[in-house]
Amino acid sequence: MSSSYTTSDEILGMDDQNQMLLFSQQFYPDSYNQLIPQEIKLESSETKPKRRRRKNKGGDVLSSEDIKVGNSLMKKRKLTDLQVTLLEQNFGDEHKLESERKDKLAAELGLDPRQVAVWFQNRRARWKNKKLEEEYSKLKSSHDNVILQKCHLEAEVLQLKERLSETEKELRRVTEQFDGVSICSPNSSFSVDVEQHYLGGEFNMVEAGYDNLLYIPENNWVNLYGF
DNA sequence: TTCGAAGAACCGTTACATCA
DNA sequence: GTGATGTAACGGTTCTTCGA
């Protein structure tokens, strides 16, 4: 990427004169020209090595991150509340930052346009992360609801199975009671009575959800679906 | 139409400040 | 003193635009 703005690494590599020039631009926003002179850009970009930013623990060399407060230099990189408020307002209006608006905002805030661009970039990233987090928690909560529902349904299935088993026992008991009596004959009026009794009467199988049962003379009641 | 330069946006990362 | 967190800034990559 090629940038019109000077990085702190580039500043660190400058001679004293250029450092002072940039220093005055950086710390006196009113007179800050916003654009780094071409000579400085060329000098630094041509020798720009591809490496990570270097640490600046010594503090003996001015960097673009130093800010003048009153008459003294402070290691203060944070933007002021007012600057942040205005940036937030602008971000609220529009997440994208056109070049014209960037320059206007930078002039208003006394910041480098590059700083404004970076702030918007980081703000968009934070916004995106927040959106992702919100989306995640929504999905998680709906997932939890589905799991809960599944548990309830499983419990219900268990309950129904138990009832089914009890009913089967009861049926076996009843059929054993009538063992030897011809209740299986389709022509038997007793058979019809039993069917009516269990399918539509006291044990309404359909309503009870037991409509998957079929009565076969040889096997008594058979579950059509395996449970 | 193609190609290269310039600029902007995005992403991952680093460095630093602040706080518990 | 230290680890966690927030954030300003950077480097690299990708995409778009524009002029030759």
Side-chain angles (χ1 to χ4, degrees):
Chain A
M1 174 187 140
S2 55
S3 169
S4 328
Y5 308 108
T6 310
T7 67
S8 56
D9 288 330
E10 288 163 348
I11 296 167
L12 291 171
M14 293 173 189
D15 60 24
D16 291 344
Q17 193 181 355
N18 283 337
Q19 280 181 13
M20 287 310 292
L21 178 60
L22 193 62
F23 166 76
S24 61
Q25 287 168 333
Q26 203 75 45
F27 302 135
Y28 297 93
D30 290 342
S31 57
Y32 180 43
N33 192 20
Q34 296 190 357
L35 291 175
I36 309 302
Q38 283 297 315
E39 306 89 84
I40 303 179
K41 279 168 61 186
L42 283 175
E43 195 181 306
S44 56
S45 62
E46 277 173 8
T47 57
K48 194 164 139 193
K50 292 191 175 181
R51 42 82 197 100
R52 289 288 178 198
R53 262 187 303 167
R54 78 186 79 156
K55 293 181 182 180
N56 185 22
K57 299 234 167 164
D60 53 340
V61 179
L62 291 173
S63 79
S64 61
E65 292 155 11
D66 294 325
I67 291 172
K68 185 179 172 73
V69 177
N71 287 328
S72 58
L73 280 172
M74 281 179 67
K75 284 275 176 193
K76 187 182 170 195
R77 303 163 73 240
K78 272 180 89 80
L79 302 176
T80 66
D81 289 347
L82 194 67
Q83 285 171 327
V84 171
T85 304
L86 204 59
L87 285 165
E88 286 287 358
Q89 273 173 13
N90 271 270
F91 185 79
D93 293 342
E94 172 68 60
H95 291 193
K96 296 266 181 182
L97 185 66
E98 326 79 61
S99 164
E100 201 177 314
R101 192 156 71 105
K102 177 176 69 185
D103 291 341
K104 189 170 167 254
L105 201 50
E108 256 180 75
L109 296 169
L111 292 171
D112 187 327
R114 167 75 187 160
Q115 279 179 290
V116 176
V118 165
W119 188 90
F120 264 76
Q121 209 166 301
N122 288 321
R123 188 64 183 78
R124 278 194 295 269
R126 286 196 290 273
W127 180 78
K128 195 177 168 186
N129 278 339
K130 200 181 162 197
K131 288 277 284 182
L132 280 172
E133 274 173 21
E134 284 171 4
E135 210 171 313
Y136 171 78
S137 60
K138 269 185 201 166
L139 282 171
K140 192 176 180 300
S141 117
S142 80
H143 173 261
D144 289 348
N145 281 340
V146 167
I147 294 295
L148 198 66
Q149 215 174 333
K150 181 173 172 269
C151 286
H152 285 146
L153 287 169
E154 280 173 352
E156 203 180 325
V157 165
L158 221 61
Q159 226 175 347
L160 290 170
K161 277 182 180 174
E162 276 169 20
R163 281 181 61 189
L164 177 62
S165 162
E166 280 166 19
T167 308
E168 281 172 343
K169 273 184 207 161
E170 172 69 9
L171 279 168
R172 265 196 296 277
R173 197 183 59 75
V174 169
T175 49
E176 275 164 13
Q177 226 176 347
F178 294 99
D179 205 19
V181 182
S182 175
I183 61 167
C184 300
S185 164
N187 299 323
S188 163
S189 63
F190 183 79
S191 173
V192 173
D193 287 346
V194 168
E195 281 180 39
Q196 278 174 348
H197 179 72
Y198 284 101
L199 289 175
E202 186 183 346
F203 296 102
N204 190 329
M205 308 298 269
V206 175
E207 271 184 25
Y210 298 139
D211 53 335
N212 56 337
L213 294 176
L214 177 67
Y215 184 74
I216 297 173
E218 290 78 15
N219 301 312
N220 293 331
W221 294 93
V222 169
N223 188 341
L224 290 174
Y225 304 113
F227 65 86

